[in-house]
Amino acid sequence: MGCLFGELHRAMDRATPNLEERKALEANRRRAAADSVMDALERYAKAHGGRFHVVGSAVTGQMRYDSDLDVLVEFPPNHEHDAFTFVEDLCIEHRLPLDALAFRTMSARFLARNADRMVTFG
């Protein structure tokens, strides 16, 4: 009986992903979620007359298991709150951590430094 129990334990251990495998799975899930979110941001921006700027690892293809989605929101003042709410709700739905800021608050230095790691939707 002890031998069978040991074999069952070893089989279960092999079926359970190790830490590195779990990190890789989560990174892949976050990449897919970011792609889905960015598709929705494109549609929303076109429909509502504004722009979303995505910066960082989602753009460079280097999302990790602990990456968030960095979004700059650029909408007319009377639509900005709704745009923030949209991207927040979307990221909650996709279980994707979000760092969203108003584009108008970004310095020229920040924008220049991140120009090659930024994609604009809208």
Side-chain angles (χ1 to χ4, degrees):
M1 189 78 160
C3 184
L4 180 59
F5 183 72
E7 287 179 31
L8 181 59
H9 243 350
R10 284 189 294 279
M12 286 177 24
D13 285 345
R14 285 192 303 274
T16 303
N18 64 32
L19 180 59
E20 289 306 312
E21 291 167 334
R22 289 194 312 269
K23 286 180 178 181
L25 289 169
E26 180 60 12
N28 288 335
R29 188 198 67 77
R30 288 186 187 212
R31 272 192 287 281
D35 289 343
S36 182
V37 167
M38 289 188 288
D39 288 344
L41 294 180
E42 175 74 27
R43 291 188 302 275
Y44 185 93
K46 286 182 178 179
H48 294 89
R51 298 191 299 181
F52 293 102
H53 309 271
V54 177
V55 183
S57 61
V59 173
T60 63
Q62 298 176 348
M63 287 196 83
R64 297 170 15 117
Y65 70 95
D66 58 351
S67 292
D68 63 0
L69 186 66
D70 300 298
V71 179
L72 305 177
V73 178
E74 183 182 17
F75 278 75
N78 57 329
H79 295 289
E80 187 177 75
H81 175 76
D82 291 340
F84 270 102
T85 300
F86 177 77
V87 70
E88 289 168 354
D89 289 346
L90 198 56
C91 285
I92 289 169
E93 177 184 326
H94 285 85
R95 295 181 305 120
L96 185 61
L98 172 67
D99 186 7
L101 299 166
F103 182 83
R104 62 184 159 71
T105 65
M106 298 295 100
S107 68
R109 182 176 177 207
F110 173 86
L111 295 172
R113 188 174 65 237
N114 289 284
D116 61 337
R117 306 181 321 137
M118 184 183 303
V119 172
T120 299
F121 299 102

